[in-house]
Amino acid sequence: MVGVRTRRGERMNMKEQFLRQFEDRKDGPSWLAPMRRGAIDRFAALGLPTTESEEWRYTSLAGFQDVPFAPAARDDHGGRIESDFLERSAFCPRDAVRLVFVNGHYSPRLSAVEGLASGVVAGSLASVLKNRPDLVAGVLGTAAEFGDRAFVALNTAFLNDGAVIYIPKGVVVTKPIHVCYVSWTTDDRPGVSHPRNLVIAEEGSQATVVEIYVGGGNSPYFTNAVTEIVAGRGAIVDHYKLQQENGNACHLRSLDVRQDADSRVSTLSVSLGAGLSRNEDRTVLDAEGAECALNGLYMVTGRQHADNQTSIDHAKPHGTSSELYKGILAGQSTGVFNGKIVVRPGAQKTVARQTNKNLLLSNEALVNTKPLLEIFANDVKCNHGATIGRLDDSQVFYLRSRGLGEAHARSLLTYAFASDLVGRVRVPSLQQGLEKWIFRRLLAGEIPSGVSGGVSGT
């Protein structure tokens, strides 16, 4: 029998481990019990996805099947996690409004939520479930459906802590709200956490949320996160996600957005770390005049694998969406982009644009990309395209003729490829942190500048 021997001496596969952990848990309010039971039953029926599934065709979890993941312990590692760690690793400034979670558990010591407008709630899900369940009841779980998604079902079964951000009608939150997840486990107890975030932006409200995942140490761990955003009529939400897990981590995250009329939601997901990472970003434009922008940047090297699955559902007329994902792949890294835009019957006057561009910096790097349009209306403007290419020799030559060494020339061109996405970050600390991180790694040769060549695309 394949699998791992648990701390009880039993041999189990990963699915059986999670099912056992669910039966062992006893926390949470009783009103959530039916949702959790339904979710774990669905996970048991679906099982772990394999490469036989089209959605997981290029992403295998086999490398983590033998890791005995246990619920991550509540531990701040002797105070080693401090504000300077968050500033350095998570680009979260000391004076930021922030909710900090260590191994999936809320840390009041590291969090700071003072100065928010009246009525705004930014706190831990565990606390809200205990003290203000009315705030999330009827909303939690409505955007993130788990019917055919095993890891969303698993997260729902285990949901206990995470961030809740509630912005009342008409309120504008001027300072970005940072949500920082720090994972730090040990070799003898690899941890798993299931963070659950919920953002409720009522009619006419506005907020910026920065979601960050960082890892300490080098031990493997597993993050299975779900974020829901419910945007009311005319609400504006800017959402950023930065993933810098350690190189032995498995990071899975689903973002589910539901938009009301005339709302505007923009997301930018940046994947830099983890041995295996996968983002599933889904948006439903559920009323007329809704607008979304889905953007992403993945930058991997060595044997890292980054998978991005996106879905934009134009359910009603006069919706607008734009999507730009870029990948930079070096070493023997691999990447996946599957992007789907659906225009439902009756969703006339839809405008949708989708682009995926990939830069390969070595002969061994590999990316699979599949942009997809499904259109069931006849008065729309939609287009999509994808490219895979290498650095342009003529541009490298031009920069070298101006006195730059070859490595610097290639680094500059690689940064330029990513720069339009970095430039879309409207949170200064995050934008500056990303710029420094990318330049430092390129100039240090940690992301080899690689080979030149042409571009292919559709």
Side-chain angles (χ1 to χ4, degrees):
M1 177 183 178
V2 296
V4 298
R5 194 172 295 280
T6 68
R7 295 168 70 85
R8 298 178 179 181
E10 303 161 301
R11 184 164 290 280
M12 293 182 175
N13 60 34
M14 185 186 281
K15 174 185 170 183
E16 291 168 337
Q17 288 182 70
F18 290 138
L19 293 176
R20 170 60 64 84
Q21 289 166 16
F22 179 83
E23 297 303 330
D24 288 346
R25 67 175 303 158
K26 296 180 174 56
D27 56 344
S30 58
W31 64 270
L32 268 180
M35 180 191 293
R36 285 174 164 160
R37 172 53 65 183
I40 199 65
D41 288 346
R42 190 61 189 149
F43 171 74
L46 292 170
L48 293 172
T50 70
T51 53
E52 294 181 1
S53 162
E54 181 63 25
E55 290 77 14
W56 288 80
R57 183 177 178 185
Y58 301 110
T59 298
S60 171
L61 298 170
F64 294 91
Q65 291 280 5
D66 292 334
V67 181
F69 291 115
R74 189 184 296 272
D75 184 357
D76 69 355
H77 300 273
R80 279 182 290 175
I81 303 170
E82 295 290 352
S83 296
D84 60 343
F85 175 85
L86 297 174
E87 191 168 26
R88 184 177 65 254
S89 302
F91 313 145
C92 179
R94 292 172 183 268
D95 60 349
V97 175
R98 62 180 185 269
L99 301 167
V100 182
F101 300 80
V102 180
N103 292 344
H105 303 283
Y106 182 63
S107 171
R109 182 179 68 86
L110 295 168
S111 301
V113 292
E114 295 81 13
L116 291 173
S118 176
V120 174
V121 174
S124 80
L125 176 61
S127 174
V128 170
L129 289 175
K130 181 178 179 180
N131 302 311
R132 291 201 58 188
D134 57 299
L135 198 63
V136 298
V139 182
L140 188 65
T142 58
E145 299 175 349
F146 58 73
D148 61 348
R149 303 157 77 192
F151 285 104
V152 176
L154 186 65
N155 177 283
T156 304
F158 282 89
L159 73 83
N160 178 55
D161 213 350
V164 173
I165 298 171
Y166 166 76
I167 307 105
K169 180 179 178 180
V171 172
V172 176
V173 180
T174 56
K175 296 186 71 173
I177 300 174
H178 292 70
V179 180
C180 303
Y181 288 94
V182 182
S183 292
W184 203 323
T185 60
T186 56
D187 284 333
D188 63 338
R189 191 179 172 83
V192 56
S193 61
H194 305 276
R196 184 64 170 245
N197 306 305
L198 176 61
V199 179
I200 304 171
E202 290 195 337
E203 180 179 345
S205 64
Q206 184 172 345
T208 299
V209 178
V210 184
E211 190 179 330
I212 301 164
Y213 297 84
V214 296
N218 295 307
S219 300
Y221 57 86
F222 181 16
T223 301
N224 176 35
V226 171
T227 296
E228 296 180 274
I229 298 176
V230 180
R233 176 183 290 270
I236 300 174
V237 178
D238 291 327
H239 176 270
Y240 302 93
K241 182 219 172 185
L242 170 66
Q243 183 268 109
Q244 282 211 86
E245 308 270 30
N246 83 28
N248 292 311
C250 177
H251 175 94
L252 308 181
R253 200 292 302 260
S254 296
L255 170 67
D256 290 84
V257 183
R258 188 167 293 278
Q259 296 185 232
D260 204 342
D262 301 318
S263 60
R264 286 192 288 144
V265 175
S266 69
T267 70
L268 174 55
S269 174
V270 181
S271 298
L272 305 176
L276 185 154
S277 67
R278 179 179 166 105
N279 295 305
E280 293 184 4
D281 292 357
R282 299 185 175 197
T283 299
V284 180
L285 281 63
D286 209 19
E288 290 196 28
E291 181 178 339
C292 78
L294 233 65
N295 299 311
L297 173 67
Y298 42 102
M299 198 165 180
V300 288
T301 188
R303 293 181 177 273
Q304 285 181 277
H305 177 80
D307 183 347
N308 287 278
Q309 307 276 327
T310 70
S311 171
I312 299 175
D313 187 346
H314 287 267
K316 297 294 168 60
H318 299 283
T320 302
S321 68
S322 65
E323 182 175 9
L324 174 61
Y325 271 70
K326 285 190 170 185
I328 298 173
L329 300 97
Q332 299 177 56
S333 63
T334 50
V336 181
F337 174 82
N338 279 341
K340 182 167 71 174
I341 294 175
V342 180
V343 182
R344 302 285 176 185
Q348 305 291 11
K349 305 296 182 183
T350 288
V351 178
R353 184 175 63 255
Q354 180 190 67
T355 305
N356 174 233
K357 296 182 178 180
N358 296 280
L359 177 62
L360 302 183
L361 297 178
S362 77
N363 289 325
E364 293 77 28
L366 175 69
V367 66
N368 290 283
T369 176
K370 187 175 74 174
L372 178 65
L373 292 175
E374 293 183 356
I375 301 174
F376 302 98
N378 58 11
D379 186 8
V380 302
K381 294 180 180 177
C382 301
N383 62 68
H384 66 167
T387 62
I388 301 172
R390 306 185 189 280
L391 292 176
D392 189 324
D393 283 333
S394 63
Q395 293 178 348
V396 175
F397 176 80
Y398 175 82
L399 290 176
R400 293 194 66 187
S401 70
R402 294 296 184 271
L404 289 181
E406 181 167 353
H408 280 71
R410 291 180 179 277
S411 296
L412 190 60
L413 291 171
T414 302
Y415 175 78
F417 180 81
S419 62
D420 60 341
L421 282 168
V422 176
R424 298 184 188 200
V425 178
R426 295 192 287 268
V427 178
S429 60
L430 181 59
Q431 185 187 60
Q432 293 163 13
L434 278 173
E435 286 179 343
K436 290 178 181 176
W437 188 95
I438 294 172
F439 264 125
R440 186 175 66 247
R441 294 204 71 187
L442 287 171
L443 293 176
E446 295 175 20
I447 299 176
S449 53
V451 296
S452 302
V455 176
S456 62
T458 59

